[in-house]
Protein backbone atom coordinates (compact mmCIF):
# COMPACT_ATOMS: atom_id res chain seq x y z
CA UNK A 1 0.00 0.00 0.00
CA UNK A 2 2.94 2.32 0.68
CA UNK A 3 4.22 1.70 -2.85
CA UNK A 4 0.77 2.45 -4.33
CA UNK A 5 0.43 5.61 -2.22
CA UNK A 6 3.88 6.84 -3.27
CA UNK A 7 3.26 6.17 -6.97
CA UNK A 8 -0.17 7.88 -6.91
CA UNK A 9 0.99 10.74 -4.68
CA UNK A 10 -1.67 10.14 -2.03
CA UNK A 11 -1.84 8.98 1.57
CA UNK A 12 -2.33 5.42 2.83
CA UNK A 13 -5.90 6.18 3.94
CA UNK A 14 -6.82 7.21 0.40
CA UNK A 15 -5.47 3.92 -0.97
CA UNK A 16 -7.45 2.06 1.68
CA UNK A 17 -10.65 3.87 0.71
CA UNK A 18 -10.20 3.03 -2.98
CA UNK A 19 -9.36 -0.63 -2.31
CA UNK A 20 -12.34 -1.10 0.01
CA UNK A 21 -14.80 0.88 -2.12
CA UNK A 22 -15.36 3.54 0.54
CA UNK A 23 -16.61 7.08 -0.24
CA UNK A 24 -14.65 10.31 0.08
CA UNK A 25 -12.30 10.01 -2.93
CA UNK A 26 -12.59 12.23 -6.00
CA UNK A 27 -12.84 10.51 -9.41
CA UNK A 28 -9.46 11.90 -10.49
CA UNK A 29 -7.72 10.64 -7.35
CA UNK A 30 -9.46 7.29 -7.63
CA UNK A 31 -8.19 6.94 -11.19
CA UNK A 32 -4.60 7.73 -10.13
CA UNK A 33 -4.75 5.18 -7.32
CA UNK A 34 -6.30 2.54 -9.59
CA UNK A 35 -3.60 3.13 -12.21
CA UNK A 36 -0.92 2.66 -9.55
CA UNK A 37 -2.64 -0.54 -8.36
CA UNK A 38 -2.72 -1.91 -11.90
CA UNK A 39 0.90 -0.96 -12.60
CA UNK A 40 2.22 -2.54 -9.38
CA UNK A 41 -0.04 -5.61 -9.40
CA UNK A 42 -1.30 -4.77 -5.91
CA UNK A 43 -3.83 -7.19 -4.32
CA UNK A 44 -5.73 -6.52 -1.12
CA UNK A 45 -4.67 -8.71 1.82
CA UNK A 46 -7.98 -10.38 2.64
CA UNK A 47 -6.49 -12.31 5.58
CA UNK A 48 -5.64 -9.05 7.32
CA UNK A 49 -9.03 -7.58 6.47
CA UNK A 50 -10.77 -10.66 7.94
CA UNK A 51 -8.81 -10.32 11.19
CA UNK A 52 -9.75 -6.65 11.37
CA UNK A 53 -13.45 -6.93 10.52
CA UNK A 54 -14.28 -10.41 11.81
CA UNK A 55 -16.10 -11.36 8.59
CA UNK A 56 -14.81 -13.45 5.69
CA UNK A 57 -17.32 -12.34 3.04
CA UNK A 58 -17.92 -15.98 2.18
CA UNK A 59 -20.74 -18.49 2.55
CA UNK A 60 -20.87 -22.26 2.22
CA UNK A 61 -23.44 -24.28 0.26
CA UNK A 62 -23.87 -28.00 0.95
CA UNK A 63 -26.21 -29.81 -1.44
CA UNK A 64 -26.88 -33.36 -2.58
CA UNK A 65 -25.30 -33.45 -6.04
CA UNK A 66 -24.07 -30.44 -8.01
CA UNK A 67 -24.39 -32.53 -11.19
CA UNK A 68 -28.18 -32.74 -10.79
CA UNK A 69 -29.85 -29.98 -12.86
CA UNK A 70 -32.15 -29.12 -9.94
CA UNK A 71 -29.21 -28.46 -7.62
CA UNK A 72 -27.06 -26.74 -10.22
CA UNK A 73 -29.88 -24.23 -10.78
CA UNK A 74 -30.27 -23.76 -7.01
CA UNK A 75 -26.51 -23.32 -6.61
CA UNK A 76 -26.32 -20.67 -9.35
CA UNK A 77 -29.08 -18.68 -7.65
CA UNK A 78 -27.29 -18.85 -4.28
CA UNK A 79 -24.07 -17.70 -5.94
CA UNK A 80 -25.73 -14.72 -7.64
CA UNK A 81 -27.33 -13.48 -4.42
CA UNK A 82 -24.09 -13.97 -2.46
CA UNK A 83 -22.19 -12.06 -5.16
CA UNK A 84 -24.64 -9.19 -4.81
CA UNK A 85 -23.66 -8.99 -1.14
CA UNK A 86 -19.95 -9.08 -2.01
CA UNK A 87 -19.49 -12.65 -0.80
CA UNK A 88 -17.72 -15.64 -2.30
CA UNK A 89 -19.52 -19.03 -2.43
CA UNK A 90 -17.94 -22.37 -1.51
CA UNK A 91 -19.93 -25.41 -2.67
CA UNK A 92 -19.76 -29.14 -1.89
CA UNK A 93 -21.90 -32.22 -2.64
CA UNK A 94 -22.95 -34.54 0.20
CA UNK A 95 -24.01 -37.37 -2.13
CA UNK A 96 -26.93 -38.05 0.26
CA UNK A 97 -24.40 -39.18 2.88
CA UNK A 98 -24.94 -37.77 6.41
CA UNK A 99 -21.27 -38.18 7.34
CA UNK A 100 -20.18 -36.37 4.19
CA UNK A 101 -22.66 -33.57 4.93
CA UNK A 102 -21.24 -33.09 8.42
CA UNK A 103 -17.65 -33.24 7.12
CA UNK A 104 -18.32 -30.57 4.48
CA UNK A 105 -20.32 -28.33 6.79
CA UNK A 106 -17.71 -28.35 9.54
CA UNK A 107 -14.93 -27.85 6.97
CA UNK A 108 -16.67 -24.66 5.81
CA UNK A 109 -17.10 -23.59 9.42
CA UNK A 110 -13.38 -24.19 10.06
CA UNK A 111 -12.69 -21.76 7.23
CA UNK A 112 -14.91 -19.28 9.07
CA UNK A 113 -17.58 -18.75 6.43
CA UNK A 114 -20.10 -16.17 7.57
CA UNK A 115 -23.09 -18.39 6.89
CA UNK A 116 -24.32 -21.71 5.51
CA UNK A 117 -27.04 -22.77 3.08
CA UNK A 118 -27.65 -26.49 3.54
CA UNK A 119 -29.68 -29.08 1.65
CA UNK A 120 -29.72 -31.54 4.55
CA UNK A 121 -29.14 -35.27 4.51
CA UNK A 122 -28.45 -35.87 8.20
CA UNK A 123 -31.14 -36.81 10.71
CA UNK A 124 -29.44 -34.93 13.52
CA UNK A 125 -28.09 -31.41 13.06
CA UNK A 126 -27.14 -30.82 16.66
CA UNK A 127 -23.51 -30.98 15.54
CA UNK A 128 -24.09 -27.42 14.23
CA UNK A 129 -25.15 -25.96 17.58
CA UNK A 130 -21.62 -24.83 18.63
CA UNK A 131 -21.10 -23.17 15.22
CA UNK A 132 -24.45 -21.38 15.36
CA UNK A 133 -23.68 -20.24 18.91
CA UNK A 134 -20.37 -18.88 17.58
CA UNK A 135 -22.27 -16.67 15.13
CA UNK A 136 -22.43 -18.66 11.88
CA UNK A 137 -25.87 -18.15 10.34
CA UNK A 138 -27.58 -21.21 8.83
CA UNK A 139 -30.54 -21.64 6.49
CA UNK A 140 -31.80 -25.02 5.33
CA UNK A 141 -33.26 -25.34 1.85
CA UNK A 142 -35.41 -27.98 0.11
CA UNK A 143 -35.63 -29.95 3.39
CA UNK A 144 -35.85 -28.81 7.03
CA UNK A 145 -33.16 -29.31 9.68
CA UNK A 146 -33.49 -32.26 12.05
CA UNK A 147 -33.43 -31.95 15.85
CA UNK A 148 -32.62 -28.23 15.85
CA UNK A 149 -34.76 -25.17 15.18
CA UNK A 150 -33.47 -23.36 12.10
CA UNK A 151 -34.65 -21.25 9.17
CA UNK A 152 -35.92 -23.35 6.25
CA UNK A 153 -37.09 -22.60 2.72
CA UNK A 154 -39.06 -25.46 1.17
CA UNK A 155 -41.41 -26.36 -1.63
CA UNK A 156 -44.91 -27.37 -0.55
CA UNK A 157 -44.23 -30.92 -1.74
CA UNK A 158 -47.46 -32.50 -0.54
CA UNK A 159 -49.55 -29.68 -1.99
CA UNK A 160 -47.82 -29.89 -5.37
CA UNK A 161 -48.39 -33.64 -5.57
CA UNK A 162 -52.04 -33.20 -4.60
CA UNK A 163 -52.47 -30.96 -7.63
CA UNK A 164 -50.78 -33.46 -9.96
CA UNK A 165 -52.66 -36.53 -8.72
CA UNK A 166 -55.98 -34.65 -8.77
CA UNK A 167 -55.21 -33.84 -12.41
CA UNK A 168 -54.85 -37.55 -13.21
CA UNK A 169 -58.08 -38.34 -11.37
CA UNK A 170 -59.75 -35.65 -13.44
CA UNK A 171 -58.75 -37.56 -16.58
CA UNK A 172 -60.73 -40.58 -15.32
CA UNK A 173 -57.88 -42.58 -13.78
CA UNK A 174 -58.50 -44.66 -10.66
CA UNK A 175 -55.52 -47.05 -10.62
CA UNK A 176 -52.74 -44.50 -10.16
CA UNK A 177 -49.24 -45.61 -9.25
CA UNK A 178 -46.65 -43.67 -7.26
CA UNK A 179 -42.91 -44.34 -7.58
CA UNK A 180 -40.70 -42.25 -5.32
CA UNK A 181 -37.31 -41.85 -3.70
CA UNK A 182 -36.07 -43.24 -0.39
CA UNK A 183 -38.85 -42.82 2.22
CA UNK A 184 -36.37 -41.54 4.81
CA UNK A 185 -35.89 -38.38 2.69
CA UNK A 186 -38.21 -35.58 3.81
CA UNK A 187 -39.24 -34.51 0.30
CA UNK A 188 -39.97 -38.12 -0.73
CA UNK A 189 -42.15 -38.80 2.30
CA UNK A 190 -44.03 -35.51 1.84
CA UNK A 191 -44.74 -36.31 -1.81
CA UNK A 192 -46.02 -39.76 -0.87
CA UNK A 193 -48.26 -38.13 1.74
CA UNK A 194 -49.71 -35.82 -0.92
CA UNK A 195 -50.49 -38.83 -3.14
CA UNK A 196 -52.22 -40.77 -0.38
CA UNK A 197 -54.22 -37.77 0.82
CA UNK A 198 -55.50 -37.00 -2.68
CA UNK A 199 -56.53 -40.57 -3.35
CA UNK A 200 -58.31 -40.73 0.01
CA UNK A 201 -60.06 -37.40 -0.56
CA UNK A 202 -61.38 -38.74 -3.88
CA UNK A 203 -62.62 -41.92 -2.18
CA UNK A 204 -60.17 -44.07 -4.13
CA UNK A 205 -58.49 -47.07 -2.46
CA UNK A 206 -54.73 -47.44 -2.83
CA UNK A 207 -53.42 -50.91 -3.57
CA UNK A 208 -49.98 -51.06 -1.92
CA UNK A 209 -48.72 -52.81 -5.04
CA UNK A 210 -49.13 -49.45 -6.78
CA UNK A 211 -46.67 -47.73 -4.42
CA UNK A 212 -42.90 -48.13 -4.61
CA UNK A 213 -40.35 -46.14 -2.61
CA UNK A 214 -36.60 -46.66 -2.82
CA UNK A 215 -33.55 -45.99 -4.94
CA UNK A 216 -34.06 -43.91 -8.07
CA UNK A 217 -31.64 -46.13 -9.98
CA UNK A 218 -33.09 -46.81 -13.47
CA UNK A 219 -32.94 -50.58 -12.92
CA UNK A 220 -35.20 -50.42 -9.87
CA UNK A 221 -37.67 -48.00 -11.44
CA UNK A 222 -37.80 -50.15 -14.60
CA UNK A 223 -38.49 -53.32 -12.60
CA UNK A 224 -41.16 -51.74 -10.39
CA UNK A 225 -43.07 -50.02 -13.19
CA UNK A 226 -42.90 -53.14 -15.37
CA UNK A 227 -44.36 -55.16 -12.48
CA UNK A 228 -47.23 -52.68 -12.10
CA UNK A 229 -47.99 -52.75 -15.85
CA UNK A 230 -47.85 -56.56 -16.07
CA UNK A 231 -50.39 -57.01 -13.26
CA UNK A 232 -53.78 -58.53 -14.26
CA UNK A 233 -55.26 -55.19 -13.16
CA UNK A 234 -52.52 -52.83 -14.37
CA UNK A 235 -52.19 -49.23 -13.32
CA UNK A 236 -53.39 -46.74 -15.91
CA UNK A 237 -51.46 -43.70 -14.66
CA UNK A 238 -48.23 -42.91 -12.84
CA UNK A 239 -47.11 -40.05 -10.66
CA UNK A 240 -43.29 -40.10 -10.54
CA UNK A 241 -41.67 -38.66 -7.42
CA UNK A 242 -38.75 -36.78 -9.03
CA UNK A 243 -37.11 -36.11 -12.38
CA UNK A 244 -34.80 -39.13 -12.18
CA UNK A 245 -37.78 -41.44 -11.69
CA UNK A 246 -39.60 -39.70 -14.53
CA UNK A 247 -36.76 -40.24 -17.01
CA UNK A 248 -36.41 -43.90 -16.03
CA UNK A 249 -40.18 -44.39 -16.28
CA UNK A 250 -40.27 -42.85 -19.75
CA UNK A 251 -37.93 -45.56 -21.02
CA UNK A 252 -40.41 -48.20 -19.88
CA UNK A 253 -43.50 -46.39 -21.15
CA UNK A 254 -41.94 -45.68 -24.54
CA UNK A 255 -41.37 -49.41 -25.04
CA UNK A 256 -44.88 -50.32 -23.87
CA UNK A 257 -47.87 -50.63 -26.17
CA UNK A 258 -50.23 -49.72 -23.32
CA UNK A 259 -51.16 -46.01 -23.03
CA UNK A 260 -50.29 -44.84 -19.50
CA UNK A 261 -50.75 -41.28 -18.28
CA UNK A 262 -47.74 -39.72 -16.58
CA UNK A 263 -47.25 -36.69 -14.35
CA UNK A 264 -43.77 -36.11 -12.92
CA UNK A 265 -42.52 -34.06 -10.01
CA UNK A 266 -39.83 -31.59 -11.18
CA UNK A 267 -39.38 -30.33 -14.69
CA UNK A 268 -36.41 -31.47 -16.75
CA UNK A 269 -34.63 -30.50 -19.94
CA UNK A 270 -36.38 -31.50 -23.21
CA UNK A 271 -39.56 -32.57 -21.37
CA UNK A 272 -41.53 -30.33 -23.73
CA UNK A 273 -39.99 -31.89 -26.86
CA UNK A 274 -40.95 -35.51 -26.23
CA UNK A 275 -44.06 -37.08 -27.74
CA UNK A 276 -46.24 -36.71 -25.87
CA UNK A 277 -44.58 -33.87 -24.01
CA UNK A 278 -44.33 -34.57 -20.29
CA UNK A 279 -46.77 -33.00 -17.87
CA UNK A 280 -45.00 -32.06 -14.64
CA UNK A 281 -45.48 -30.38 -11.31
CA UNK A 282 -42.53 -27.97 -11.35
CA UNK A 283 -40.84 -26.44 -8.38
CA UNK A 284 -38.53 -23.48 -8.81
CA UNK A 285 -35.00 -24.35 -7.62
CA UNK A 286 -33.67 -20.89 -8.48
CA UNK A 287 -36.36 -19.24 -6.36
CA UNK A 288 -35.62 -21.66 -3.51
CA UNK A 289 -31.95 -20.71 -3.69
CA UNK A 290 -32.59 -16.97 -3.90
CA UNK A 291 -35.10 -16.98 -1.06
CA UNK A 292 -32.84 -19.01 1.22
CA UNK A 293 -29.80 -16.84 0.53
CA UNK A 294 -31.68 -13.58 1.03
CA UNK A 295 -32.91 -14.95 4.36
CA UNK A 296 -29.33 -15.89 5.26
CA UNK A 297 -28.00 -12.38 4.56
CA UNK A 298 -30.91 -10.83 6.42
CA UNK A 299 -29.77 -12.81 9.45
CA UNK A 300 -26.16 -11.80 8.89
CA UNK A 301 -27.21 -8.15 8.77
CA UNK A 302 -28.96 -8.36 12.13
CA UNK A 303 -32.47 -9.73 11.60
CA UNK A 304 -33.59 -11.51 14.77
CA UNK A 305 -36.65 -13.47 15.78
CA UNK A 306 -37.66 -17.12 15.84
CA UNK A 307 -36.67 -19.48 13.00
CA UNK A 308 -38.71 -18.95 9.85
CA UNK A 309 -40.22 -21.65 7.63
CA UNK A 310 -41.01 -20.45 4.10
CA UNK A 311 -42.97 -22.76 1.76
CA UNK A 312 -43.15 -22.06 -1.98
CA UNK A 313 -45.88 -23.45 -4.21
CA UNK A 314 -45.28 -25.81 -7.11
CA UNK A 315 -46.83 -25.27 -10.55
CA UNK A 316 -48.66 -27.80 -12.74
CA UNK A 317 -47.45 -27.59 -16.36
CA UNK A 318 -49.85 -29.37 -18.70
CA UNK A 319 -48.14 -30.75 -21.81
CA UNK A 320 -49.82 -33.98 -22.89
CA UNK A 321 -48.57 -37.05 -21.02
CA UNK A 322 -50.83 -36.37 -18.06
CA UNK A 323 -53.85 -35.83 -20.27
CA UNK A 324 -54.07 -39.39 -21.63
CA UNK A 325 -57.61 -40.21 -20.54
CA UNK A 326 -58.81 -43.55 -19.21
Amino acid sequence: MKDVAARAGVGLKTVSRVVNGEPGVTPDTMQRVQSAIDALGFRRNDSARILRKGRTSSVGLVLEDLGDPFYSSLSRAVEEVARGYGSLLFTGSSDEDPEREQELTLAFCARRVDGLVIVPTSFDHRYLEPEIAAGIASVFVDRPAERIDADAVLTDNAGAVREGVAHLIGQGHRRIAFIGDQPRIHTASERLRGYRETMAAAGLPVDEAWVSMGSTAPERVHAELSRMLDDPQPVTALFSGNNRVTVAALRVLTASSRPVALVGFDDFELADLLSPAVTVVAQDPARLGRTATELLFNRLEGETGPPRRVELRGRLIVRGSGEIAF
Side-chain angles (χ1 to χ4, degrees), residues 13-310:
K13 182 60 178 176
T14 300
V15 176
S16 176
R17 284 175 175 158
V18 172
V19 168
N20 291 296
E22 297 173 0
V25 182
T26 66
D28 179 64
T29 301
M30 185 180 296
Q31 180 59 50
R32 294 207 320 275
V33 172
Q34 191 59 55
S35 296
I37 287 172
D38 294 341
L40 296 172
F42 172 80
R43 294 293 179 270
R44 182 176 64 188
N45 186 332
D46 277 343
S47 296
R49 187 173 61 90
I50 289 166
L51 287 172
R52 186 172 67 252
K53 294 189 174 182
R55 292 276 291 270
T56 63
S57 295
S58 64
V59 295
L61 170 63
V62 179
L63 39 69
E64 180 188 342
D65 179 7
L66 189 57
D68 185 307
F70 175 86
Y71 290 116
S72 60
S73 179
L74 187 150
S75 174
R76 180 59 185 267
V78 173
E79 183 178 21
E80 286 301 309
V81 174
R83 182 168 177 256
Y85 283 93
S87 285
L88 185 67
L89 179 68
F90 297 109
T91 306
S93 299
S94 69
D95 198 27
E96 205 64 63
D97 180 347
E99 291 186 5
R100 176 64 176 157
E101 177 207 297
Q102 182 171 341
E103 175 189 329
L104 277 170
T105 302
L106 294 181
F108 289 150
C109 291
R111 285 160 177 77
R112 309 319 303 165
V113 294
D114 299 324
L116 295 162
V117 177
I118 303 171
V119 178
T121 294
S122 175
F123 298 104
D124 189 347
H125 289 98
R126 288 177 296 177
Y127 71 84
L128 265 175
E129 287 178 336
E131 309 300 333
I132 294 172
I136 294 180
S138 299
V139 176
F140 289 75
V141 63
D142 191 42
R143 310 166 188 173
E146 298 284 349
R147 305 190 73 179
I148 64 170
D149 292 326
D151 292 324
V153 178
L154 319 170
T155 296
D156 179 7
N157 288 277
V161 173
R162 282 194 290 266
E163 187 174 3
V165 174
H167 184 71
L168 291 170
I169 293 171
Q171 307 305 311
H173 296 280
R174 299 297 180 264
R175 296 193 301 276
I176 302 172
F178 183 94
I179 300 179
D181 208 333
Q182 303 281 1
R184 63 181 177 79
I185 299 173
H186 171 81
T187 50
S189 64
E190 282 293 287
R191 292 169 195 175
L192 177 60
R193 179 170 70 85
Y195 162 79
R196 291 191 183 280
E197 288 178 352
T198 309
M199 295 291 279
L204 299 176
V206 173
D207 187 328
E208 290 307 312
W210 303 344
V211 178
S212 178
M213 303 291 286
S215 164
T216 59
E219 299 79 14
R220 189 195 78 85
V221 176
H222 184 286
E224 288 296 278
L225 182 54
S226 297
R227 172 184 63 77
M228 296 174 187
L229 296 177
D230 291 340
D231 190 90
Q233 291 291 315
V235 297
T236 65
L238 167 67
F239 190 97
S240 53
N242 64 30
N243 53 10
R244 284 167 289 189
V245 175
T246 303
V247 171
L250 282 168
R251 297 183 185 281
V252 178
L253 298 178
T254 300
S256 174
S257 59
R258 182 179 292 113
V260 177
L262 170 67
V263 174
F265 197 106
D266 283 336
D267 206 357
F268 61 96
E269 192 173 7
L270 304 182
D272 58 328
L273 298 182
L274 299 174
S275 183
V278 182
T279 296
V280 298
V281 178
Q283 52 182 338
D284 189 339
R287 189 179 174 204
L288 282 168
R290 285 194 302 270
T291 304
T293 313
E294 289 287 357
L295 179 52
L296 179 75
F297 278 97
N298 287 343
R299 293 298 193 187
L300 288 172
E301 293 184 353
E303 181 180 307
T304 59
R308 294 175 56 190
R309 183 183 177 107
V310 180

